[in-house]
Amino acid sequence: MRRANLNLTVSYAILGLAALAILLPLYSILVVAISPQSAPAIGLGLPADPQWSNFAAAWAQGNFGVLIKNSTVIAVSVVAVAVVFSVLSGFAFSMMEFPGKRLLFLPLLVGLVLPFEAVILPLYYNLRALGLTDSPLGVILPEVGLYVAFGTLWMRAVFAGVSREIVEAARIDGANAMQLLWIVLIPMCRPAITTLVVLFFLWSWNEFLVSLVILQDPLQRTAPAGLGAFVGEYLTNVPLLAAGAIYVALPVVIVYFFLQRYIIEGLTQGAVKG
Amino acid sequence: MSLASDIGAARGRRKPQRALRPQREGAVLKSGIGGRYAPYLCIFPALAMSLSFIGFPLAQTAWYSLHAWDGISAPEWRGLQNYAQVLASANFQQALQNVGVLLVFFCIIPVSAGLVTAAIISRRKLPGMGFFRSVLFLPQVIALVVTGMAWRWMYSFEGVINQILTAVGLEDYTRIWLGDFDWALLAVGLVMTWVASGFSMVLFLSGIARIDSSLYDAARIDGAGPVAEFFAVTLPGVKQELGVAVTITLVGGLRAFDVVYVTTAGGPGTATTVPAFEIYVTAFRDQAVGQAAAMAVLLTAMILAAVLILRRIMGMK
């Protein structure tokens, strides 16, 4: 009994310390963001006179309204397109037989392993030649290209996990491929598709290198890339930078707050099932 | 991309095992359904995007790496000279050395700390675990740019780290951490530890929770202490999670860019530069696209080699 209590104490001590270590830097952004611009609080104490107006100032000077709109347009487009493409190809690779199946699967395997670092140089020059740098499409297209690899494998595994009896029953009832997909599979796999939606949104929102390289025009940047540039320009105005950082983080933190079940389970449980 | 996408990548990377095996269970719709062309129509959009924006550019990177090019005038054939130059350059060597150090902070420390702490934490359901899980996972969803910015203040001269050191009587050790030639790399490394540790702990906690508790009972009946129990039951039970955690953090560490860009921009000097940052600077500041491409090829080869070697070691097919 005593050993169990000790174990419990130690467990909570570890969890508490880890949680504290994670929350400390995040808390410090908040403190800095509301401290006076002339005397930024860098420590831990709350400023005596919280300057909530910093958020409005950062919004105006950092153009965060535009940045967040850009990020939203890009992330929503990437999610919509990449999820549909992934569902379709995952469906074909899990439920259909066709000549060349294995060969056609290979490029997607390549896409899984590669980081953007491997292709960012040609991406920039190709997109520049097409006139797509400084345009949302210039970021949407490569992100879709990278994410469909993961999405296809994900949906393929999800569809393959649907019980065979159900699929056979639908076929006996005369469902064709599209009916099987839309009426049977997609409704059954809604949680897994939601996970994909949330992950794609998260990745797209937080993507930095592609936006930094492809979008040079300050009015076209995404929120993280805009923040990165903001660092260079307003290095001295720490409270405004902090407020800007909060604007960048807030949308994903809100999404995380409501949909964390999908994120954590998608990334941990799911990681191991395969 | 953040670590989360690496998780995805590594998670997905496990799937091919099934993919490459003959697929009996998937072959439900043998023929005729949707016509002969339906499968190709279904895979076309994804495949076309992947080939246009990943596959083809990858080949282009390799092609660039064999040329001298400033991004504007006509490329000039150089054979393997770019590789020779890059490998001989002090900056790239420094970047490789730094990334080696960062892997300790992004891979080895988070994975081992995550594993040990997860093993210590009682296997019972703890009240409030949901809250801790949410907090521990938080660094995974926050843009690394934001994380880097938060840590810039933590590390600044009047920042929290120095205040804590002063409070416990270690004021002699206070410094501008990110500007210090000896300490900046360590400081950046700790940011990466902050990012990866919670994730790895949550991963192992969920892995341990799925170990059959009769195995622990059996170990206890055999008189195993906590340490023996860890090696006999816990470690074998989380082998898959270990493979996933190491793969994700290793790949994420090798390609680290965002945190370095925001916290130190590789400095002071080249004290914290990494290969991904060298690629960016060499191509877009120095206009030496061929050399940057050679670096990109080398980095990609390192990542692929790391993934393949890990799979062999971890017994993943």
Side-chain angles (χ1 to χ4, degrees), chain B residues 188-254:
Chain B
V188 171
L190 282 176
V191 178
M192 296 175 75
T193 303
W194 182 85
V195 172
S197 293
F199 160 72
S200 131
M201 201 165 147
V202 171
L203 188 64
F204 288 125
L205 279 173
S206 78
I208 292 173
R210 268 181 292 116
I211 297 176
D212 188 348
S213 59
S214 65
L215 292 175
Y216 284 97
D217 296 339
R220 254 164 233 168
I221 290 166
D222 289 348
V227 176
E229 192 182 273
F230 175 79
F231 285 105
V233 182
T234 308
L235 194 57
V238 296
K239 207 176 140 204
Q240 278 194 305
E241 282 82 0
L242 189 63
V244 172
V246 173
T247 309
I248 290 163
T249 53
L250 195 75
V251 173
L254 282 173

Side-chain angles (χ1 to χ4, degrees), chain A residues 113-115 118, chain B residues 13 83 86-87 92-101 103 247 250-256 274-276 279 294-310:
Chain A
V113 194
L114 280 189
Chain B
R13 208 172 289 134
Y83 288 93
V86 161
L87 288 171
F92 195 68
Q93 285 174 3
Q94 180 75 49
L96 289 178
Q97 199 183 317
N98 290 346
V99 93
V101 175
L103 284 180
T247 309
L250 195 75
V251 173
L254 282 173
R255 46 174 298 227
V274 286
I279 295 172
M295 293 178 192
V297 170
L298 291 171
L299 179 62
T300 307
M302 277 164 56
I303 290 173
L304 289 178
V307 170
L308 290 175
I309 291 169
L310 267 177

Side-chain angles (χ1 to χ4, degrees), chain B residues 90-95 98 181 185 265-274 278:
Chain B
N91 282 6
F92 195 68
Q93 285 174 3
Q94 180 75 49
N98 290 346
F181 274 94
L185 188 62
T270 56
T272 59
T273 193
V274 286
E278 286 299 316

Side-chain angles (χ1 to χ4, degrees), chain A residues 43-64:
Chain A
L44 285 177
L46 279 171
D49 177 22
Q51 305 284 311
W52 297 102
S53 61
N54 287 347
F55 283 98
W59 186 270
Q61 290 182 34
N63 242 328
F64 277 98

